[in-house]
Amino acid sequence: MTEVPDWLDRLATQAQRIRVPRYLRPPDGAGRAAAVLMLFGEGPLGPDVLLIQRSTRGRRHAGQPAFPGGGVDPDDGGPVAAALREAEEETGVDPSGVHVLCTMPELYLNHSDNRVTPVIAWWREPSAVHAASPHEVDSVERVPVAELVDPGNRIMLRHPSGMAGPAFQVRGMLVWGFTAMVLDTVLREGGLERPWDPTRVEDLPQHVIDLASRG
């Protein structure tokens, strides 16, 4: 068992205080409640965070790296329980070894009509993880924070609409969209970000666009 490190305490404190941009604020009464688990741990290469690669066979977010998570079911009682349940179903993580630190402000995703609550947690007793739900998840990765903040792994990614957002190239994955936006915000607000070049802009690859267009 390991204690929550100081850097994660600071990160969690700042994450609760972020100002949600207007375009991510949930409209009154709109959207389905959902939650994702941002699970930080201490791995062989230092602090890391758990990410999944969604199945290319799925209809929604096909092939995209993401945090474990999904919709809040009535029996969950709220976003924390939903995030832990989904993480267990998707990766096999043992919730009893997870210490939840906080929830971030709710974020609204217009394209999927979801109101998503990111749940930040510390993996005090790591358990083995794998693609526990093969029809939803292709692979599971513990991605070192050092790789996420490496300036060489950071780019701005341009969507065909012309909009551009932060992205990470790590572990053979292109982390973009909602997941990259949350990671970018949390790492910056938590004081972990290293200076990088936001003028390094690349177009979203066509195969990623094709997968994303499914739903």
Side-chain angles (χ1 to χ4, degrees):
M1 181 181 298
T2 56
E3 297 296 326
V4 179
D6 290 343
W7 65 264
L8 187 55
D9 264 335
R10 291 192 297 269
L11 182 151
T13 298
Q14 292 301 115
Q16 295 174 78
R17 300 172 178 169
I18 65 165
R19 290 178 58 86
V20 177
R22 185 176 299 276
Y23 68 92
L24 287 173
R25 295 174 190 168
D28 289 340
R32 178 194 180 199
V36 295
L37 183 66
M38 296 185 66
L39 181 56
F40 291 93
E42 184 66 32
L45 297 177
D48 56 27
V49 64
L50 187 67
L51 294 181
I52 63 172
Q53 181 98 36
R54 295 209 173 276
S55 171
T56 55
R57 301 180 296 278
R59 289 186 58 204
R60 286 192 175 275
H61 314 296
Q64 291 185 23
F67 303 113
V72 177
D73 290 344
D75 291 343
D76 289 328
V80 170
L84 292 172
R85 173 183 56 77
E86 287 281 352
E88 182 177 19
E89 292 175 359
E90 293 178 339
T91 74
V93 66
D94 183 355
S96 68
V98 175
H99 174 58
V100 174
L101 295 172
C102 69
T103 58
M104 289 175 59
E106 205 172 49
L107 305 171
Y108 180 64
L109 302 185
N110 181 63
H111 67 277
S112 60
D113 193 32
N114 280 327
R115 295 181 288 111
V116 183
T117 299
V119 177
I120 296 178
W122 171 242
W123 211 351
R124 67 169 184 264
E125 293 180 355
S127 51
V129 289
H130 64 289
S133 181
H135 64 288
E136 293 182 305
V137 179
D138 276 348
S139 62
V140 179
E141 284 282 350
R142 293 184 64 166
V143 180
V145 170
E147 293 182 18
L148 289 168
V149 300
D150 183 338
N153 294 336
R154 304 215 52 184
I155 59 172
M156 291 292 287
L157 204 59
R158 183 168 46 223
H159 190 272
S161 66
M163 297 285 289
F168 302 82
Q169 297 171 313
V170 288
R171 301 280 156 146
M173 299 187 295
L174 177 63
V175 184
W176 64 286
F178 173 79
T179 303
M181 180 200 67
V182 174
L183 275 173
D184 173 69
T185 300
V186 167
L187 294 173
R188 181 177 62 253
E189 295 298 323
L192 301 177
E193 183 182 59
R194 292 170 55 192
W196 62 286
D197 183 8
T199 66
R200 183 183 166 202
V201 181
E202 298 183 11
D203 290 325
L204 191 64
Q206 188 58 50
H207 73 277
V208 175
I209 297 171
D210 293 341
L211 285 171
S213 66
R214 291 184 185 175

